[in-house]
Amino acid sequence: MWSLIYKGVNFIKKNPTIIYSFFLIIVVSAIIFFNTYYSVIKFQKNNDTLLHSKAILAEDIFNLSIADEINNENKIQSLIEKIKDKDDEILEINILKPKENKDEFKIIASTDKSKINKSVANDIIFIAWQHPQEGIAYLMSDHSLGRFWEISKTIQSNGKKEGIVTFDMSLSDSDKLINQTIKRMYWVSIASLLIVLLLVVNHTRLFKYAVRVTKLEEVDKMKDDFISMASHELKMPLTIINGYAELLKDSLEKKSSEKNTSEFKERLKHLKNIKIASKRLRELVEDILDVSRIEQGKLKINLEKVNLSEILNEVMEQFQIDASKKKISLKLKNNLNNELWIKADEARVKQILVNLVGNAIKYTPQGSVTVKTEIDKDFIKIVVKDTGIGMSAQEMKNLFKKFYRIKNKKTEAINGTGLGLWISKELALKMKGDLTVESMSGVGSQFILTLPKFKE
Ligand code: ADP
């Protein structure tokens, strides 16, 4: 028994929406049931009151017409019979007169002829006799007749109490209607219960999807955390490799006696290759770290007053050697003044420009790369233009998507990850700027980085 309860509790703990489902089944069905039930009850009460008023009114009118004929028993008998015949709701009418001692009443006319001349003495009649102005009504119930109003009222002629009329008015018609409504209400409740059950079954299926989505999100987060952790861990050995390569290069260079031997040159070449590879790996790790920071919303951007001219000069200097190796002319056309202030994160602006200028040189086999600055209202535009391989409109469609690389004959020999532009665009947007592109296949490309001016 206890193990069953324990299993049940465990199941609910694992599937908390089951409580919601039960809640839905019980509450919705209960609301529909009670709403209908109370509406029916209220309707029945109103109907009873209405019939009650109707019965009293009918009796009042009836009273007036028989008051003067109270001593003509035959006439009264035929009158009450006629009235009963005309109205199905009237079950019985009796006319009573007090006996001499006034302890009892005698039925002088009745729609139930067997009651004529019988004596009657009950509380209702005495109360009616005591209160001649009011009609005394009681709600009665009988196996064969159902519910009915029994109304008794004193008959008065010229202010004198002459007798009593009792009047039974049936409620069976309205009761029949109410019973039908109650039956319908049960059916509606059952139908709504079934609908709610169907909804719950559907909901449970949806819930399974929700669980899957949550699990996927968890796995995705685990993956992000792993990437972030792995990238951090990779940085350390890479720095060590780089450091040792540097150390080896230094100690090798000190051996001046061996400098001209082919073995020395070979070793130096190997060391350079180690350095290049570790630098590339480091850049890749940095990119992956940036992606995971951006995706986890953990990337910190410090917006401050930054001298753009200084950054531009630094980036140009950094790429001069690469450009001259490819015989590409790399020029800066900073038509604006030397102190170009923007509101941005210095390191991140440099990172974007390194990526844009680096790409321009990387994807330009010959010709030139020019960096220009322009003012556009509250923004400064930095245009990196090249005469390289360019891109078609189709190729540019997904350019700013993560890991997207254009695959064609011209790009197949060029290494890359497809992360640089995605990161650059995200960074530009985070600094309240933007990064856009214009390009033509075989003609060249220009990337436009827009950043807000610094306002005092
Ligand atoms: P990566 O250069 O590492 O592949 P990027 O995100 O920097 O990644 O660039 C995405 C793609 O956009 C590149 O693979 C390349 O095809 C294209 N691309 C970027 N810059 C240029 C450019 N200046 N000229 C032509 N194609 C470019």
Side-chain angles (χ1 to χ4, degrees):
M1 174 71 182
W2 282 113
S3 75
L4 214 72
I5 296 173
Y6 182 74
K7 269 185 194 167
V9 171
N10 252 358
F11 182 75
I12 291 172
K13 264 189 195 162
K14 274 186 198 154
N15 304 284
T17 52
I18 213 112
I19 297 172
Y20 168 74
S21 308
F22 269 115
F23 182 75
L24 208 71
I25 296 175
I26 292 164
V27 169
V28 174
S29 314
I31 287 174
I32 295 173
F33 183 85
F34 284 113
N35 178 45
T36 327
Y37 183 76
Y38 281 111
S39 306
V40 170
I41 298 289
K42 187 116 188 116
F43 170 74
Q44 191 176 29
K45 267 192 183 162
N46 287 344
N47 204 44
D48 287 356
T49 324
L50 210 75
L51 281 174
H52 168 230
S53 320
K54 186 181 158 189
I56 289 191
L57 185 74
E59 201 174 60
D60 276 347
I61 298 165
F62 179 68
N63 231 331
L64 284 174
S65 51
I66 59 168
D68 296 335
E69 309 284 352
I70 190 75
N71 292 320
N72 190 344
E73 289 169 13
N74 287 339
K75 205 168 178 186
I76 289 177
Q77 180 66 29
S78 74
L79 193 71
I80 59 174
E81 278 171 10
K82 267 187 209 156
I83 292 170
K84 187 181 180 300
D85 284 349
K86 276 192 186 147
D87 196 334
D88 289 343
E89 283 177 333
I90 297 171
L91 296 172
E92 196 177 301
I93 306 171
N94 296 311
I95 309 294
L96 297 88
K97 272 186 95 173
K99 284 190 172 176
E100 289 299 306
N101 54 12
K102 298 217 166 108
D103 285 347
E104 275 184 339
F105 284 79
K106 188 179 131 193
I107 300 177
I108 57 155
S110 172
T111 48
D112 178 357
K113 280 190 176 135
S114 65
K115 287 187 177 171
I116 296 174
N117 287 328
K118 289 212 168 131
S119 298
V120 184
N122 64 40
D123 288 350
I124 304 171
I125 287 172
F126 287 119
I127 294 170
W129 189 252
Q130 301 297 317
H131 303 90
Q133 302 306 329
E134 292 160 36
I136 308 298
Y138 279 90
L139 193 59
M140 316 285 264
S141 169
D142 182 285
H143 266 308
S144 55
L145 299 172
R147 296 186 321 133
F148 60 90
W149 279 114
E150 190 177 291
I151 295 142
S152 309
K153 186 150 190 194
T154 306
I155 305 164
Q156 291 188 86
S157 175
N158 299 324
K160 194 173 163 254
K161 296 197 270 186
E162 297 285 358
I164 285 180
V165 55
T166 68
F167 203 88
D168 292 347
M169 192 167 226
S170 169
L171 291 168
S172 63
D173 280 354
S174 79
D175 282 354
K176 238 186 248 163
L177 242 150
I178 284 161
N179 281 338
Q180 272 175 12
T181 318
I182 288 176
K183 258 187 210 154
R184 235 176 269 149
M185 174 194 85
Y186 284 129
W187 283 117
V188 169
S189 299
I190 291 168
S192 55
L193 194 79
L194 285 175
I195 292 170
V196 174
L197 268 172
L198 273 173
L199 282 174
V200 167
V201 170
N202 205 27
H203 166 81
T204 322
R205 270 191 16 224
L206 283 178
F207 170 68
K208 273 186 197 155
Y209 289 126
V211 169
R212 268 183 221 161
V213 170
T214 321
K215 275 198 181 136
L216 277 178
E217 277 171 359
E218 275 169 19
V219 171
D220 205 45
K221 196 181 169 294
M222 272 164 67
K223 180 207 76 189
D224 285 348
D225 290 347
F226 172 76
I227 289 174
S228 162
M229 184 271 291
S231 319
H232 270 295
E233 293 305 312
L234 275 171
K235 267 169 91 174
M236 175 72 97
L238 277 173
T239 316
I240 295 170
I241 292 170
N242 217 26
Y244 276 109
E246 198 69 43
L247 221 89
L248 273 173
K249 195 174 145 238
D250 285 351
S251 66
L252 199 67
E253 276 168 350
K254 274 180 196 153
K255 292 182 182 169
S256 46
S257 55
E258 295 174 17
K259 256 187 185 164
N260 288 324
T261 64
S262 62
E263 198 185 338
F264 177 87
K265 282 177 188 159
E266 190 77 357
R267 279 189 196 163
L268 207 63
K269 201 175 123 198
H270 289 164
L271 279 173
K272 268 187 189 163
N273 284 344
I274 292 175
K275 283 200 74 184
I276 291 169
S278 69
K279 186 176 166 252
R280 260 192 35 212
L281 211 57
R282 211 189 144 82
E283 280 167 3
L284 178 66
V285 169
E286 284 294 345
D287 277 358
I288 293 174
L289 261 175
D290 274 346
V291 171
S292 90
R293 278 188 203 117
I294 291 169
E295 287 194 325
Q296 292 178 1
K298 286 182 185 160
L299 187 100
K300 282 191 190 110
I301 295 276
N302 288 327
L303 295 180
E304 53 193 3
K305 188 179 177 185
V306 172
N307 187 347
L308 179 65
S309 306
E310 237 172 65
I311 302 176
L312 283 171
N313 290 332
E314 274 173 38
V315 175
M316 298 310 275
E317 213 179 294
Q318 183 179 327
F319 281 103
Q320 277 311 331
I321 300 171
D322 287 349
S324 62
K325 267 187 199 161
K326 283 184 87 176
K327 299 197 170 62
I328 291 170
S329 93
L330 175 64
K331 276 184 221 140
L332 172 66
K333 286 188 183 169
N334 188 5
N335 305 327
L336 312 170
N337 70 56
N338 275 340
E339 297 224 326
L340 216 50
W341 298 103
I342 53 168
K343 194 175 180 205
D345 183 313
E346 190 171 346
R348 296 302 180 182
V349 175
K350 191 167 174 192
Q351 184 180 348
I352 300 174
L353 287 171
V354 164
N355 183 242
L356 295 182
V357 178
N359 273 354
I361 295 170
K362 195 158 87 169
Y363 296 103
T364 302
Q366 64 204 39
S368 63
V369 172
T370 323
V371 181
K372 275 195 307 185
T373 49
E374 285 170 19
I375 287 197
D376 183 8
K377 290 175 196 151
D378 288 339
F379 293 87
I380 290 180
K381 282 183 170 177
I382 306 120
V383 184
V384 181
K385 191 177 176 185
D386 65 58
T387 58
I389 58 172
M391 295 167 265
S392 68
Q394 182 64 27
E395 287 169 332
M396 271 193 291
K397 262 190 187 165
N398 298 313
L399 197 64
F400 293 105
K401 285 203 176 143
K402 217 174 3 175
F403 296 111
Y404 175 75
R405 300 204 71 219
I406 296 167
K407 286 183 190 108
N408 57 32
K409 280 240 153 10
K410 292 177 195 162
T411 58
E412 65 187 4
I414 304 171
N415 286 322
T417 57
L419 289 174
L421 285 183
W422 182 82
I423 295 172
S424 298
K425 176 108 178 172
E426 290 290 320
L427 292 177
L429 291 172
K430 283 205 162 33
M431 290 189 282
K432 300 189 173 71
D434 201 1
L435 178 63
T436 54
V437 65
E438 289 162 14
S439 184
M440 243 175 127
S441 186
V443 178
S445 317
Q446 71 173 23
F447 284 85
I448 303 143
L449 171 66
T450 315
L451 290 168
K453 272 202 257 176
F454 182 82
K455 281 192 226 157
E456 292 294 339

